[in-house]
Amino acid sequence: MKTLLLRSILAAAAIICGSAEATVIHPGLSNPGFELGDFTDWTTSLSGGTATVLASTLTLDGAGFDGFVTWAPVESAKFALIRGGNTGIYQKLSTLFAAAAGDRVVFSVFLDTTEERAYLPNWNDDGYAKLINTTTLEETTLFAASVASLPNRGNTGWTSVDFTIPAAGNYRLEFGVRNMTDNGFSPQMGVDFLSVPAPTVPLVASISSVTEGEMHIHFVAQIGLTYTIQYKNALTDAAWLHLYDVAAPAAPLAIDYNDTSVGISTQRFYRVVTP
Ligand SMILES: [Ca+2]
Ligand SMILES: [Ca+2]
């Protein structure tokens, strides 16, 4: 819980700074962790490979490869799996979203290979995650692994990626997995738990009084966060009293709450609380 404490003695005002972070998924993404059980919001580009949404756990391959590796979702009950296909062609899974500067892109990914390192540099199957600005086409590689970068027939394990987007724009988050030299012993890539949280925004509130008997409380409510304004007439009072609730807005919202219940109080203390 984050709180802001404000003290008013009629027109006097005090500001105490805090911060609030909304771990929200970008409003444009309704299926970021594949919990709808399909590829809503996502695009697949396949050539001989497969892309599936898996419920519960999946055991990939068997003895003679990397053993029975059981993959479970990172988030809730489902995750996506893409498998290598035709030789030299990336099998792709991607999604589009708009981001502001400072937004983060957060997800989990793994690459699981079944080729032997003994045959390198051939059969060097690989996989990647890239963030692509769809206007400038600038690419940032967020994850990369291959047979050469892993133990024999190895895997990366679920890997959490957390990248801060430097510039506002339209982006494509793209995953790719590829067979090399031939199309046997396909690599496989798991994807789960995408979110695009907004940056941490300082919670700054102020108070002002223009009309006797009224007190205005000002702050900016951030996306996805609820707020409650509370007050006491003396700091020694036992409890904070409820004054006003702010529902979570879909865009940053300037709040100017007018407390007309001040009455004859010569002082009143306020705080703004967000979970
Ligand atoms: Ca999931
Ligand atoms: Ca292969």
Side-chain angles (χ1 to χ4, degrees):
M1 174 185 289
K2 303 285 175 32
T3 62
L4 265 173
L5 185 63
L6 305 170
R7 178 176 186 240
S8 75
I9 304 176
L10 294 183
I15 301 171
I16 299 168
C17 295
S19 67
E21 178 178 10
T23 305
V24 296
I25 290 157
H26 189 277
L29 300 175
S30 62
N31 188 30
F34 306 100
E35 296 307 308
L36 295 182
D38 58 22
F39 287 111
T40 300
D41 288 343
W42 296 84
T43 300
T44 57
S45 173
L46 302 172
S47 173
T50 61
T52 49
V53 174
L54 298 165
S56 190
T57 59
L58 172 76
T59 299
L60 293 175
D61 302 309
F65 297 104
D66 51 356
F68 291 94
V69 178
T70 298
W71 297 100
V74 173
E75 168 248 16
S76 297
K78 298 178 180 122
F79 69 101
L81 186 82
I82 44 177
R83 301 192 71 153
N86 292 335
T87 308
I89 299 172
Y90 280 111
Q91 314 299 307
K92 295 178 182 177
L93 174 66
S94 65
T95 190
L96 297 167
F97 60 90
D103 284 356
R104 292 153 53 210
V105 56
V106 183
F107 57 88
S108 294
V109 60
F110 70 75
L111 181 72
D112 190 349
T113 66
T114 56
E115 295 282 359
E116 286 191 65
R117 289 180 55 88
Y119 300 111
L120 290 173
N122 294 323
W123 293 281
N124 187 25
D125 300 346
D126 68 320
Y128 68 83
K130 285 178 185 173
L131 187 67
I132 299 142
N133 183 311
T134 59
T135 304
T136 66
L137 301 184
E138 183 183 354
E139 294 187 3
T140 305
T141 298
L142 303 179
F143 171 88
S146 65
V147 172
S149 76
L150 292 167
N152 198 42
R153 291 171 162 161
N155 69 78
T156 63
W158 277 116
T159 302
S160 180
V161 175
D162 186 335
F163 178 73
T164 299
I165 299 169
N170 294 312
Y171 288 90
R172 181 171 77 251
L173 178 64
E174 181 181 288
F175 300 87
V177 64
R178 177 174 67 167
N179 268 314
M180 291 298 285
T181 310
D182 70 7
N183 62 357
F185 302 105
S186 290
Q188 38 245 331
M189 173 174 275
V191 180
D192 200 4
F193 206 14
L194 169 65
S195 66
V196 184
T200 298
V201 177
L203 174 55
V204 177
S206 63
I207 52 179
S208 63
S209 181
V210 176
T211 304
E212 189 175 357
E214 297 183 358
M215 192 62 66
H216 290 259
I217 295 98
H218 312 269
F219 62 95
V220 177
Q222 300 297 328
I223 297 169
L225 291 176
T226 60
Y227 299 81
T228 300
I229 302 172
Q230 299 170 320
Y231 74 97
K232 285 180 175 181
N233 287 324
L235 271 182
T236 51
D237 289 353
W240 288 94
L241 301 176
H242 178 268
L243 194 59
Y244 184 65
D245 291 323
V246 177
L253 179 66
I255 303 297
D256 177 353
Y257 179 74
N258 182 13
D259 178 14
T260 58
S261 68
V262 177
I264 59 170
S265 296
T266 55
Q267 67 175 28
R268 178 168 278 190
F269 298 85
Y270 296 95
R271 71 177 186 182
V272 181
V273 180
T274 184

